[in-house]
Amino acid sequence: MAWIYCWSPTIDRLATFFPVSSGQHQGVHGHNSRSSKAGVPAMFFRTTCASATLLLVASSSVADAQPTDDDALRFQLDLQDVLECSASAEVQQAVVNRLREARYADASERPRYLRDWRFEQTDEDDDHRVIVITPPQSVTAHGVDAPQLFADRFGFSVALDPAQRERIVAAYGLQLQSSTLHEPFELWSTPTTSIIVRSAGDSYRLGCKPFTKDGKAAVRQVPAVDVQDLQDAIHCRADEGSMRRLQAFWQRLSEQPQFEWPQDVRSVNEVIYTVDDEELHLMLIGMQTPMQVYGVSTHTIAVTFGGFFGADLGDVAVAPVLAQTGMDTSHQVGEGTWQRALPPVAFSAGKWIPQHIVMRTDEGHVIAGCASDYARSTAD
């Protein structure tokens, strides 16, 4: 069963603050998101995913009435609520609208309390486009003094140094989930809080989970995949239902940012091992809790395009693993590779054709699991 890689990020209300191309002040700008990580293996083919259209209409007029001190204070408090992830969807949109108006208006037409704010766009690439907002005085969020704010496809955020990142992560009990599929490559979050810390190039940002269309913070909606499904697939005993659930599980990991992953997943990383000097491209899925695979406890699932679903067992001895799969030296098909075909299994539209595979990499890892093919039934 092929694993399809498709990137379709959540677009929230704050995304309306994205800029159009340089020199454009109004219009509609649509894009298909692209993976921003070079080196994603070619075996993960991308499907075309429609992304939300970003409406970027510059306001042509600003309220004639001069804002009062109450307006300035209300905006300051609303902005702080937005940065601290406690604002309602309506308050968020009001802050976005006010800043967008200020960005496109002449300084003399802005509300008095926004006249000295500066806005600068960095990078034209959709995945990296950021508006850097510099207020005349630092703002504070979660105890962090921020001389600048950042607006990108994830919403508003402030920069953190390593010490601030560690403090915020500890204070809110955030959990690291890392990925090499797409940015952010590191993200700290919990299923129950809207605060996130994420990597941004060589630095870190403190922000909030994007909001969905109903104004609620996005949370992990997918339960952790059943460990029995994982074990059955690795041991070549999965049924059709298990295979469908596992395909959905993998697609969720490859399509969604880390804060929407199942809670039991802590990392998804690309690695390249070698087996008899041939490259073996793997996507390794790190799990929070270990599972038993061929008599070995492991945290790491190994997936390749083409139907292999297995586990990285580390530097264990290969002979006991072979015994668990019913193989011996007679099943060796190459230096460091053993293979045993199993009877086909009937699925609704064809046959699943599994086989045990065990590989000992040149780096000393034992990779064991199930390689499978699928033969569709021919029409009568």
Side-chain angles (χ1 to χ4, degrees):
M1 190 172 290
W3 302 95
I4 303 300
Y5 172 49
C6 160
W7 166 231
S8 177
T10 303
I11 302 296
D12 68 333
R13 292 174 181 268
L14 297 181
T16 59
F17 196 70
F18 282 2
V20 291
S21 301
S22 177
Q24 292 178 303
H25 282 188
Q26 59 184 7
V28 176
H29 179 72
H31 70 278
N32 286 329
S33 295
R34 301 183 300 277
S35 171
S36 55
K37 172 66 174 174
V40 172
M43 59 191 171
F44 291 91
F45 297 122
R46 181 183 308 279
T47 60
T48 301
C49 299
S51 60
T53 301
L54 307 180
L55 183 62
L56 299 167
V57 180
S59 176
S60 59
S61 64
V62 179
D64 293 330
Q66 290 297 318
T68 66
D69 289 342
D70 288 343
D71 294 329
L73 178 59
R74 183 180 302 111
F75 175 80
Q76 180 182 347
L77 295 175
D78 287 349
L79 177 61
Q80 185 171 15
D81 285 346
V82 168
L83 296 176
E84 295 190 345
C85 312
S86 59
S88 66
E90 291 74 18
V91 169
Q92 282 210 63
Q93 192 61 58
V95 169
V96 169
N97 290 344
R98 182 63 72 185
L99 289 175
R100 186 171 54 202
E101 289 172 354
R103 183 190 176 200
Y104 291 115
D106 292 336
S108 60
E109 297 176 326
R110 298 177 185 174
R112 183 178 295 112
Y113 56 86
L114 290 175
R115 285 181 183 174
D116 294 329
W117 288 53
R118 292 186 289 112
F119 303 85
E120 180 182 2
Q121 175 179 318
T122 67
D123 209 312
E124 292 295 327
D125 182 84
D126 289 337
D127 282 346
H128 296 88
R129 188 174 297 171
V130 179
I131 301 299
V132 181
I133 306 169
T134 306
Q137 296 179 335
S138 295
V139 297
T140 302
H142 300 286
V144 175
D145 288 333
Q148 292 181 319
L149 312 178
F150 302 91
D152 60 16
R153 61 193 176 95
F154 284 97
F156 289 116
S157 61
V158 299
L160 297 177
D161 62 32
Q164 291 169 332
R165 184 203 70 197
E166 291 179 5
R167 178 179 67 80
I168 295 294
V169 167
Y172 292 96
L174 306 183
Q175 176 180 294
L176 172 62
Q177 291 182 299
S178 62
S179 172
T180 55
L181 293 184
H182 48 70
E183 290 184 287
F185 302 130
E186 293 181 316
L187 184 142
W188 290 260
S189 68
T190 71
T192 57
T193 61
S194 55
I195 297 166
I196 60 173
V197 173
R198 58 186 171 93
S199 60
D202 295 329
S203 61
Y204 298 92
R205 302 270 177 82
L206 170 63
C208 311
K209 292 176 184 176
F211 274 60
T212 58
K213 290 181 179 180
D214 62 3
K216 296 180 180 179
V219 296
R220 296 184 192 125
Q221 301 292 336
V222 178
V225 69
D226 193 321
V227 68
Q228 191 65 52
D229 287 335
L230 299 173
Q231 291 174 318
D232 286 348
I234 293 170
H235 290 93
C236 287
R237 57 175 184 250
D239 58 21
E240 187 169 6
S242 294
M243 293 302 290
R244 292 187 184 279
R245 288 191 294 272
L246 288 168
Q247 185 176 26
F249 168 73
W250 169 248
Q251 288 180 332
R252 188 72 179 188
L253 295 182
S254 60
E255 292 174 10
Q256 300 297 338
Q258 293 94 308
F259 52 77
E260 292 195 7
W261 286 357
Q263 187 177 353
D264 277 0
V265 176
R266 66 183 182 188
S267 63
V268 180
N269 298 307
E270 175 195 359
V271 301
I272 301 176
Y273 292 147
T274 53
V275 178
D276 192 20
D277 295 327
E278 293 291 330
E279 288 189 348
L280 173 65
H281 292 254
L282 292 173
M283 299 307 298
L284 298 184
I285 303 171
M287 307 297 290
Q288 298 289 350
T289 55
M291 73 183 77
Q292 290 292 316
V293 176
Y294 297 116
V296 178
S297 179
T298 181
H299 286 85
T300 309
I301 298 168
V303 180
T304 70
F305 176 78
F308 178 79
F309 196 89
D312 187 339
L313 305 182
D315 59 353
V316 301
V318 73
V321 177
L322 290 174
Q324 288 278 335
T325 65
M327 290 194 282
D328 55 29
T329 56
S330 66
H331 294 90
Q332 189 164 2
V333 295
E335 186 66 29
T337 305
W338 295 261
Q339 176 180 319
R340 177 186 167 216
L342 297 172
V345 179
F347 278 9
S348 59
K351 292 181 179 179
W352 180 50
I353 307 171
Q355 57 182 324
H356 287 301
I357 297 287
V358 175
M359 294 171 283
R360 182 174 55 203
T361 73
D362 297 348
E363 295 80 9
H365 291 247
V366 173
I367 310 297
C370 188
S372 61
D373 199 359
Y374 188 77
R376 294 190 176 276
S377 299
T378 57
D380 294 334

